[in-house]
Amino acid sequence: MTPAEPSFTFLPGAGGSPVILHVPHSARKIPPGVRRGIVLDGPALERELDHITDAHTAEIAEAAARRAGVTPWRFVNRLSRLVVDPERFPDEREEMLSAGMGAVYTRTTHREVLRRPDADPEPLIERYFRPYAGAMTDAVGERLAAVGRAVIIDVHSYPTGALPYELHGEGPRPPVCLGTDAFHTPPELLAAARKAFGTIGETGLDSPFGGTYVPLAYYGTDPRVSALMVEIRRDTYMSEPGGAAGPGLTRLAEALAELVDAVSG
């Protein structure tokens, strides 16, 4: 990846679609300059990527986009979340700082050292986090200008068993967890998601992960922006940790396409 090459891809959908499928954690790529700041050796880093990566979620979003009657837009992170996590607050507001997992992680999923304690996160935030946040803000603004609303569907996955880094891992771990926001997740969006993913199995709410992603420029202030996080338990579609996808991927793509169509009209 050259210095001028963006760390994300924004893939166009139908001009009249309000939906942005946001896929922030599907990639494993780490640029060489960033890799030098990670203390894990090669095998240990590969194991960590197996645990931390939301494997195949970009493929689920792509397959759903192909199946949807109204093609959604897709905003996909091309780099591992071990570079920066674009969904974290870049400051002390971030709850996951207590686990060493703010915008720039210093600890692994098993709470081991990932970066040296004196590592400065600011260069990574400046190079990767802020451009990503700005581009996602622009993407939402484009949908608002075009159709008067934006619907962000945040596509994630999570392991069947809780990992040590999880702050709320003791709660239910349903096949599909729906993360919500009191301001940005209207009842009709949640109802559509429950219906669409009901074919996969039980849908839970905000456990083991809660909340959803909205660019800070719109967060808590613009009701035209609605959002929902879809957290898919990995055993429903892949072999864990970090293995191949199975037939469950197609079923999930069909359910996600149903949700996209339900909220596109």
Side-chain angles (χ1 to χ4, degrees):
M1 179 170 294
T2 65
E5 189 177 357
S7 61
F8 49 83
T9 301
F10 187 38
L11 298 157
S17 172
V19 178
I20 300 173
L21 297 180
H22 181 222
V23 188
H25 295 157
S26 66
R28 295 173 69 100
K29 183 173 182 178
I30 301 173
V34 180
R35 172 66 181 95
R36 287 192 287 271
I38 292 175
V39 303
L40 303 179
D41 65 21
L45 178 58
E46 289 303 309
R47 287 194 298 273
E48 179 61 15
L49 286 167
D50 286 344
H51 288 298
I52 199 65
T53 304
D54 292 353
H56 313 296
T57 49
E59 292 95 314
I60 292 171
E62 180 182 6
R66 289 198 307 266
R67 286 167 168 77
V70 180
T71 305
W73 300 66
R74 284 179 288 143
F75 196 105
V76 183
N77 190 1
R78 299 169 60 193
L79 297 181
S80 168
R81 63 198 289 193
L82 297 184
V83 179
V84 296
D85 191 331
E87 294 208 315
R88 301 287 199 240
F89 287 112
D91 52 36
E92 67 283 348
R93 290 173 293 178
E94 179 52 56
E95 179 187 36
M96 290 302 295
L97 275 173
S98 64
M101 287 185 164
V104 177
Y105 296 177
T106 59
R107 295 279 171 171
T108 71
T109 51
H110 290 73
R111 296 187 179 250
E112 297 166 348
V113 175
L114 181 73
R115 288 184 170 90
R116 291 182 294 273
D118 60 350
D120 181 6
E122 184 55 33
L124 292 177
I125 289 174
E126 180 64 25
R127 170 64 181 89
Y128 297 107
F129 185 95
R130 292 193 179 102
Y132 189 107
M136 187 64 182
T137 300
D138 291 344
V140 171
E142 289 173 12
R143 292 301 84 212
L144 292 176
V147 295
R149 64 190 181 102
V151 182
I152 302 168
I153 300 176
D154 215 14
V155 186
H156 292 258
S157 71
Y158 73 99
T160 303
L163 292 172
Y165 83 94
E166 296 181 25
L167 298 183
H168 309 289
E170 70 284 353
R173 303 179 83 83
V176 178
C177 161
L178 301 174
T180 66
D181 178 85
F183 186 89
H184 290 283
T185 309
E188 57 270 22
L189 174 56
L190 184 57
R194 286 190 182 277
K195 181 176 183 296
F197 288 102
T199 59
I200 306 301
E202 178 190 359
T203 57
L205 200 64
D206 292 311
S207 175
F209 299 98
T212 187
Y213 177 77
V214 175
L216 289 176
Y218 303 102
Y219 184 68
T221 59
D222 196 332
R224 298 175 300 165
V225 180
S226 55
L228 180 76
M229 179 171 67
V230 177
E231 284 271 8
I232 304 160
R233 202 177 65 207
R234 291 176 189 158
D235 66 337
T236 63
Y237 73 94
M238 65 174 284
S239 118
E240 297 179 82
L249 188 147
T250 298
R251 294 194 297 270
L252 284 159
E254 290 169 348
L256 182 56
E258 180 182 334
L259 173 58
V260 167
D261 285 339
V263 300
S264 292

